[in-house]
Structures are given as C-alpha cells and as structure tokens.
Amino acid sequence: MSLSDDKVRKRLRGVAVGLLTPFDDELEVEYEKIAENARTIYGEGIQTFLSTANISEYHSLTHDERVQIAETNVDALPSDACILAGVGGNTVEARQLIREYDDVGVDAMMIMPPDHTYVHEQGLLRYYRKLSSATETPLVPYVRGFNPSVEFLQDISRMDGIIGIKYALEDPVKLGAVVDAEDDDTVWVDGLAEPFSVSYWNEGIEGFSAGVSNFRPEVGLELFDALSSGDWEYARQLRNICLPYQNFRGETGQNNALPGAISVPAVKKGLDLAGLNGGLVREPIVPLSVEEERRAEDLYQQLDDDIERLIG
C-alpha cells in the first residue's frame, strides 16, 4: 500500500537519494543491481528515493523499462520507504505512465521538467492539472531548466494534488519570495543537492536531493540533522566537503562544451567506489575518460578522508 499524502510530505522533509540505472555491456538494465543499491542505501538510513529520475537517465529509458524499474524499487524496499517515480513527455503517454506506476504502488509522481522547445506557463499549469486528474497519488513537480515567474510557482504550489516542489533553480531570492507567500502544506525540496542546502534552508526548503549522498548517504543524513538543529558551522563544513566532487560533476568532460555532461557517470563511478553498482551509461551520455576516472578516484578518496575526519 502506498504512503498517505502526509507521510509523503514527511519523507520529503529529509534527504532524497536518486536511484541510478546500471547498464551492462550491452546497455541492458540490470534490475537486480538496482534493487541491491536500493536495499543497501535504505539500510544506511535513507527513506526517500527518486526512481526513474533525471539522474536515473529517464530520457534514455523506454516506457516499459521505467515501469519495471519502479516496480523493482517498490519490491526491493520496505513499505515505510517513499518512492517517487519520474513522469514526463506528452500528456497522453504521461497519464498512461502514471496509471502503470499506480499499479506497481509508487508513493508519488515526480513530474519531470518540460523538454519542449517552447513552453507557456499556463500550458504547464494545464499539463499538471491533467496529470493530477489521472491519479490520486500526489505529484511533485521538478522545476529546472526554465525560469518561471513567482506567480507560476505560487499557482502550482496551491494546486490540488501537488504536495511538494523540487526546486532546482539557482535563484534563492525567487525561492524565498514564493515560499513566503505559498501554502504551508507544500514541501519545498532543494533540487540542487548539498551545495545549495545551507543557503536554501534559510529560504524555506525542508529537504534536499542527494549529490555525493547518492553514494555516501551518511553525508546527507548528517547534513540534514545539522540544518534541522541549526548547527550552521557544522552544516557548512559538511557542505564544503561535498563541493570538490560536486564541482567535478558540473564539468563538461572531454571534447564537449555542454555543462554537466559527466554528472551521471561521475555519480556512477562514486557508486562503484563505494561498493555499490554504478554500471555503464546510455547515449547521449558518455562514460568518463581514463583521466576523469582517475580524478574521480582521487576526489572520492578526499571525500572519504573528510568524512572520516568530520563524521568518523
């Protein structure tokens, strides 16, 4: 049985870890390795999971793979875990995906950022309403890659069926303005991971998605506790040890001008180094180069040393 809306809100007020998609040498999904990752990370204290998310390579997955991955995670995790499954694309197919996610028992739908070239705020509101009407399962829109108005953010935060918003804009002023004016029942989640958690906490976020905490969840859990208790100095120290690896994720990689191109393979390398299952990536993402792999190993070792120093 899926969690109630109130329990989903409670889980959003924490650390949300993305469940990446390991691919084998033929670029087929390795479902058992997804389940192994989910069980291990849950055992380390994480209770909120993003399935078929951006970091899961959502846009490289087929419809059936998305459903099967979501079902794999539901089956792998205890009933008190909260699983958000990614939904995007055109309205008809998105509503069908929602119905199939409902059949496997996910707890919430994370509505992916629009991938259209041209987008209108009123059209997006209509899109969210049509997706919400297809289910009683709550929605969490993912705001990234476009620059909406404060009024638009207020409108979606007050919409029936929406209980949280994953905010991934590098604009704390806009965040503060909308959180100050919106309904208290909506949970605002920092979608830019640990680097923005300290500043965004002061603007009203109540949880954050994982960066390095995808493969070292103790960092995110410790950071969340520090933020919750108002231990700002310790929170900044924890945030700072995440920055070298997170900055590495934001790089373009070799023979490329697009930012963040190595973000997913860098996290997958982190999973491998942590004893979890990273696996290969599908196009249009490319694997890390040999040099980038060495850098990831060095940065992981630095992170490991800093965790030992700060957390023990």
Side-chain angles (χ1 to χ4, degrees):
M1 180 179 294
S2 299
L3 297 178
S4 68
D5 288 6
D6 284 343
K7 287 184 177 178
V8 174
R9 288 187 182 94
K10 183 178 179 180
R11 292 290 181 262
L12 291 176
R13 296 182 175 104
V15 185
V17 163
L19 291 169
L20 282 78
T21 307
F23 299 109
D24 65 17
D25 290 342
E26 284 73 45
L27 298 185
E28 296 296 323
V29 178
E30 297 189 281
Y31 293 97
E32 182 51 40
K33 290 186 177 180
I34 296 173
E36 288 175 6
N37 285 351
R39 286 191 292 263
T40 300
I41 295 168
Y42 176 87
E44 295 184 14
I46 296 293
Q47 294 185 305
T48 308
F49 297 86
L50 307 178
S51 177
T52 62
N54 261 350
I55 203 168
S56 315
E57 299 177 70
Y58 176 90
H59 294 92
S60 296
L61 300 171
T62 68
H63 178 100
D64 290 343
E65 286 173 338
R66 292 168 188 154
V67 175
Q68 191 170 347
I69 288 169
E71 185 172 18
T72 297
N73 290 323
V74 170
D75 290 345
L77 291 165
S79 60
D80 65 337
C82 179
I83 301 169
L84 290 80
V87 177
N90 71 73
T91 304
V92 172
E93 292 179 354
R95 283 166 61 93
Q96 178 60 33
L97 183 57
I98 283 172
R99 287 189 284 266
E100 293 185 49
Y101 282 156
D102 274 337
D103 288 342
V104 303
V106 305
D107 300 294
M109 312 290 176
M110 185 173 68
I111 309 306
M112 304 295 284
D115 56 3
H116 301 67
T117 303
Y118 306 109
V119 181
H120 194 292
E121 288 184 343
Q122 298 307 308
L124 268 179
L125 292 174
R126 186 178 304 169
Y127 179 69
Y128 295 143
R129 290 190 189 101
K130 287 188 174 183
L131 298 192
S132 182
S133 70
T135 181
E136 295 183 1
T137 303
L139 308 185
V140 178
Y142 183 9
V143 179
R144 185 180 191 131
F146 64 109
N147 188 26
S149 65
V150 169
E151 291 74 21
F152 170 83
L153 294 171
Q154 290 172 350
D155 285 342
I156 61 173
S157 73
R158 295 166 179 162
M159 191 178 293
D160 289 343
I162 289 178
I163 64 169
I165 295 174
K166 184 180 178 184
Y167 182 90
L169 306 177
E170 295 184 13
D171 190 339
V173 175
K174 181 173 290 186
L175 173 63
V178 68
V179 171
D180 187 56
E182 60 85 35
D183 188 330
D184 289 341
D185 285 342
T186 303
V187 181
W188 288 82
V189 178
D190 160 27
L192 294 173
E194 301 93 353
F196 286 80
S197 60
V198 176
S199 57
Y200 279 14
W201 191 271
N202 289 306
E203 299 294 352
I205 67 118
E206 299 178 88
F208 57 88
S209 61
V212 301
S213 302
N214 286 301
F215 51 85
R216 294 301 298 264
E218 67 269 42
V219 179
L221 292 169
E222 195 83 359
L223 176 56
F224 179 78
D225 287 346
L227 292 168
S228 299
S229 65
D231 189 346
W232 303 114
E233 180 178 356
Y234 187 42
R236 286 191 292 270
Q237 289 175 332
L238 290 162
R239 185 268 317 275
N240 289 345
I241 70 172
C242 299
L243 293 180
Y245 207 102
Q246 285 294 99
N247 290 339
F248 171 62
R249 288 184 61 196
E251 294 181 9
T252 61
Q254 296 183 356
N255 303 314
N256 170 59
L258 304 177
I262 65 171
S263 180
V264 172
V267 174
K268 286 191 166 185
K269 181 63 176 180
L271 287 166
D272 289 333
L273 293 168
L276 295 164
N277 303 293
L280 299 180
V281 293
R282 278 182 181 170
E283 66 284 347
I285 302 173
V286 301
L288 298 179
S289 68
V290 172
E291 179 184 347
E292 289 160 352
E293 288 219 354
R294 284 198 296 265
R295 285 188 61 205
E297 291 168 0
D298 291 342
L299 290 167
Y300 182 89
Q301 184 60 58
Q302 177 184 339
L303 175 67
D304 190 60
D305 293 341
D306 288 338
I307 291 172
E308 179 64 26
R309 173 177 54 84
L310 276 180
I311 302 175

